[in-house]
């Protein structure tokens, strides 16, 4: 790939020379034990690999960073399409536009080239600071003359939220590929498709057919070693035996869980996360189903068991974390992966944290995640009173929902790379409908969660490392 150096001044953004370009962009090292005061830098790449749009007609497409509108544009995968990876946008006479804002952006990088043997052409970069109501061109028209991808960098001077649009005239075609947002603080981008939708409370009278453990494809994490779902330990010593009915170990291939027969919910769920896990190969399957792999005579929570309860079918391992195949995504819709979760807690607080972790994965990290719940009694949307159980007493409503995430720069020998300065984020929220939308309001230490649950989290780490990282409360940056 070659790079073009230009300098344009216009309004609040100037276009500067690019020094490097890659699918993964270098980021800061892990947060030290004493959190820094300065906001954390981010670098989020829209690769256009996760979307599907085969026609030029106007439509919006859900991609990794959010929804984009494409007019007289499609996502191409032909040999003539200039691209990094398998796909890029092919733009004719129309535009490519973000349907969302990004905050804290300092630089935007855009890779582009001519399509195939099409003639030279021009395109414009526009920006909006009022949510897409009005756009202003940035600099002069960009000449498209190269048959291989060229990357231009755009410096952002505005301090508020901003969204971008690439607009082209004429009938010749161009390709747009990796768009990289670099900045500091919380970008406010929901990475991956939303994990909830209006039917998550299961308002259906007829349950769908149940399913067993999904077949493990090549996209499933390994059963042991680096990237395995239980690399950091089995927090409760769960076992796959009927005598362990309240702490029953289930390997669902794409995640591992401890299940409680009497509560009808998981105690905890553990999984590994990197960009390969949410590459958008599969869309949200939405195929909630009971799990038929439970021991004989155990009650199977059905797809409609939460109906009219005022609680969402809250994923532990999110749908958005597993889009590498239909099997991977369907695994997250088994009811043994669900808890009765207050809608605002599920759709706002937890959705924002899940998106944040996926953004970190796109930012050069791999993440080991453990999520669980404990206690009895939550407040959903049906009433202001505490509800202890639903489904005629067969499913317990937890009082608290927690998550622990270990962030490591992508690499090998993961356990040995954890140090006293490795970033570990722990949050613990009450299961009520009035939680704040910001997950940062619920940051605790790992030891706080261990005290509440009795679990030994991160037990595969050396004790001297646990004694440091488990006591730190993350800064949230």
């Amino acid at each position: 790939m070659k790079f073009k150096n230009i300098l344009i001044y216009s309004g609040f953004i100037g276009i500067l020379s690019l020094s490097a370009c890659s699918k993964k962009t270098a980021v800061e090292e892990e947060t030290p034990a004493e959190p820094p005061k300065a906001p954390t830098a981010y670098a989020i790449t829209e690769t256009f690999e996760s979307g599907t749009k085969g026609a030029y007609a106007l439509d919006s497409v859900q991609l990794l960073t959010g929804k984009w509108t494409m007019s007289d544009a499609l996502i191409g995968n032909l040999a003539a399409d200039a691209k990094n990876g398998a796909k890029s946008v092919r733009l004719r006479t129309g535009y490519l536009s973000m349907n969302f804002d990004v905050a804290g952006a300092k630089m935007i990088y855009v890779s582009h080239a001519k399509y195939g043997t099409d003639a030279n052409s021009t395109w414009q970069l526009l920006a909006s600071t009022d949510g897409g109501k009005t756009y202003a061109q940035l600099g002069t028209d960009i000449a498209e003359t190269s048959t291989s991808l060229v990357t231009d960098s755009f410096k952002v001077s505005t301090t508020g939220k901003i969204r971008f649009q690439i607009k082209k005239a004429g009938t010749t075609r161009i390709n747009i590929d990796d768009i990289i947002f670099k900045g500091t603080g919380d970008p406010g981008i929901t990475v991956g498709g939303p994990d909830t939708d209006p039917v998550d409370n299961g308002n259906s009278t007829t349950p769908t057919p149940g399913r067993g453990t999904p077949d493990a494809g090549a996209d499933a994490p390994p059963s042991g070693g680096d990237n395995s779902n239980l690399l950091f330990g089995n927090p409760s010593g769960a076992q796959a035996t009927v005598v362990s009915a309240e702490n029953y170990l289930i390997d669902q291939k794409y995640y591992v869980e401890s299940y409680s027969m009497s509560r009808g919910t998981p105690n905890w769920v553990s999984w590994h996360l990197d960009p390969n896990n949410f590459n958008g190969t599969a869309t949200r399957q939405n195929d909630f189903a009971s799990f038929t792999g439970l021991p004989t005579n155990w009650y199977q929570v059905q797809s409609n068991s939460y109906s009219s309860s005022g609680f969402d079918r809250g994923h532990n391992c999110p749908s958005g974390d597993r889009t590498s195949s239909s099997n991977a995504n369907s695994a997250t819709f088994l009811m043994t992966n669900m808890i009765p979760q207050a809608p605002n807690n599920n759709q706002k607080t937890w959705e924002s944290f899940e998106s944040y972790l996926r953004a970190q994965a796109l930012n050069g990290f791999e993440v080991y995640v453990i999520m669980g719940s404990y206690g009895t009694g939550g407040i959903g949307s049906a009433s202001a009173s505490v509800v202890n159980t639903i489904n005629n007493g067969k499913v317990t409503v937890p009082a608290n929902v927690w998550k622990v995430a270990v962030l490591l720069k992508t690499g090998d020998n993961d356990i040995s790379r954890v140090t006293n300065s490795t970033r570990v984020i722990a949050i613990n929220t009450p299961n009520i409908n009035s939680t704040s939308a910001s997950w940062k309001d619920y940051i605790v230490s790992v030891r706080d969660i261990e005290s509440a649950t009795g679990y030994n989290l991160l037990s595969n780490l050396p004790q001297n490392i646990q004694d440091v990282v488990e006591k730190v409360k993350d800064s949230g940056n």
Side-chain angles (χ1 to χ4, degrees), residues 408-420:
L408 288 170
K409 290 294 292 293
T410 300
D412 299 321
N413 302 313
D414 293 346
I415 287 288
S416 66
R417 293 191 297 118
V418 178
T419 69
N420 290 348

Side-chain angles (χ1 to χ4, degrees), residues 119-390:
N120 294 348
S121 59
T122 58
W123 55 272
Q124 300 171 345
L125 179 68
L126 301 93
S128 173
T129 57
D130 58 8
K133 295 178 182 178
T134 60
Y135 284 88
Q137 182 176 354
L138 307 179
T140 59
D141 292 357
I142 307 298
E144 197 65 82
T145 60
S146 176
T147 56
S148 58
L149 288 171
V150 172
T151 302
D152 287 320
S153 58
F154 303 81
K155 185 177 180 180
V156 181
S157 299
T158 185
T159 57
K161 295 181 178 180
I162 192 169
R163 65 181 61 185
F164 296 92
Q165 180 182 97
I166 293 172
K167 187 175 182 181
K168 187 184 172 298
T171 57
T172 55
R173 295 160 293 182
I174 65 172
N175 286 121
I176 302 293
D177 204 353
D178 297 352
I179 296 179
I180 304 173
F181 306 93
K182 282 190 177 183
T184 57
D186 183 356
I189 292 178
T190 299
V191 178
D195 196 49
T196 58
D197 69 16
V199 302
D200 260 6
N201 61 1
N203 289 321
S204 171
T205 57
T206 305
T208 58
R211 297 192 302 274
T213 300
D215 293 332
D219 60 321
S223 59
D226 278 0
N227 302 350
S228 59
N229 292 315
L230 278 184
L231 181 66
F232 280 80
N234 181 331
S236 60
Q239 299 179 32
T241 172
V242 292
V243 298
S244 185
E246 299 309 312
N247 189 23
Y248 185 70
L249 186 68
I250 306 174
D251 183 357
Q252 298 289 20
K253 307 304 181 184
Y254 293 92
Y255 56 87
V256 175
E257 62 182 311
S258 164
Y259 187 75
S260 168
M261 178 192 69
S262 66
R263 292 175 69 90
T265 62
N267 300 307
W268 53 260
V269 178
S270 183
W271 67 98
H272 175 263
L273 180 68
D274 66 38
N276 294 320
N277 302 132
F278 57 97
N279 59 20
T281 298
T283 58
R284 178 185 169 98
Q285 300 298 295
N286 225 27
D287 52 353
F288 293 93
S290 61
F291 178 55
T292 59
L294 294 174
T296 304
N297 298 325
W298 285 23
Y299 176 71
Q300 295 178 16
V301 181
Q302 301 295 309
S303 61
N304 65 343
S305 292
Y306 291 23
S307 180
S308 302
S309 67
F311 294 92
D312 281 359
R313 295 173 289 190
H315 288 68
N316 279 248
C317 179
S319 163
D321 281 10
R322 291 292 186 258
T323 63
S324 55
S325 67
S326 57
N327 275 358
N329 195 256
S330 288
T332 70
F333 285 93
L334 291 169
M335 293 303 295
T336 51
N337 184 44
M338 306 296 164
I339 57 171
Q341 194 168 2
N344 284 338
N345 180 267
N346 182 33
Q347 298 171 26
K348 295 180 180 179
T349 317
W350 283 95
E351 177 66 36
S352 67
F353 190 42
E354 292 161 4
S355 175
Y356 179 81
L357 293 180
R358 286 192 287 268
Q360 297 309 301
L362 288 177
N363 205 16
F365 288 90
E366 53 185 306
V367 189
Y368 288 88
V369 190
I370 310 166
M371 176 176 170
S373 56
Y374 66 88
T376 301
I379 301 175
S381 60
S383 73
S385 301
V386 172
V387 177
N388 292 327
T389 64
I390 62 172

Side-chain angles (χ1 to χ4, degrees), residues 31 35 356 423-426 439 443-445 472-477:
T31 306
Y356 179 81
R423 189 179 186 192
V424 178
I425 310 174
W439 58 269
I443 295 173
V444 297
S445 71
V472 174
K473 289 186 179 181
D474 188 73
S475 67
N477 291 322

Side-chain angles (χ1 to χ4, degrees), residues 41-157:
Y42 67 77
I44 298 174
T45 304
E46 178 52 71
T47 65
F48 300 102
E49 298 292 319
S50 67
T52 300
K53 186 176 185 293
Y56 283 106
L58 176 68
D59 200 1
S60 294
V61 180
Q62 178 69 49
L63 299 171
L64 283 177
T65 53
K67 281 195 173 181
W68 295 66
T69 294
M70 300 184 192
S71 174
D72 204 24
L74 54 77
I75 296 178
N77 59 1
L78 301 180
D81 287 298
K83 53 191 178 294
N84 286 324
K87 301 176 183 178
S88 63
V89 173
R90 192 189 310 158
L91 178 60
R92 196 166 56 184
T93 306
Y95 61 85
L96 166 68
S97 186
M98 297 163 56
N99 292 1
F100 57 93
D101 293 316
V102 59
K106 305 297 182 184
M107 297 290 292
I108 306 295
Y109 301 84
V110 181
S111 296
H112 57 92
K114 296 194 298 183
Y115 170 76
T117 59
D118 278 24
N120 294 348
S121 59
T122 58
W123 55 272
Q124 300 171 345
L125 179 68
L126 301 93
S128 173
T129 57
D130 58 8
K133 295 178 182 178
T134 60
Y135 284 88
Q137 182 176 354
L138 307 179
T140 59
D141 292 357
I142 307 298
E144 197 65 82
T145 60
S146 176
T147 56
S148 58
L149 288 171
V150 172
T151 302
D152 287 320
S153 58
F154 303 81
K155 185 177 180 180
V156 181
S157 299

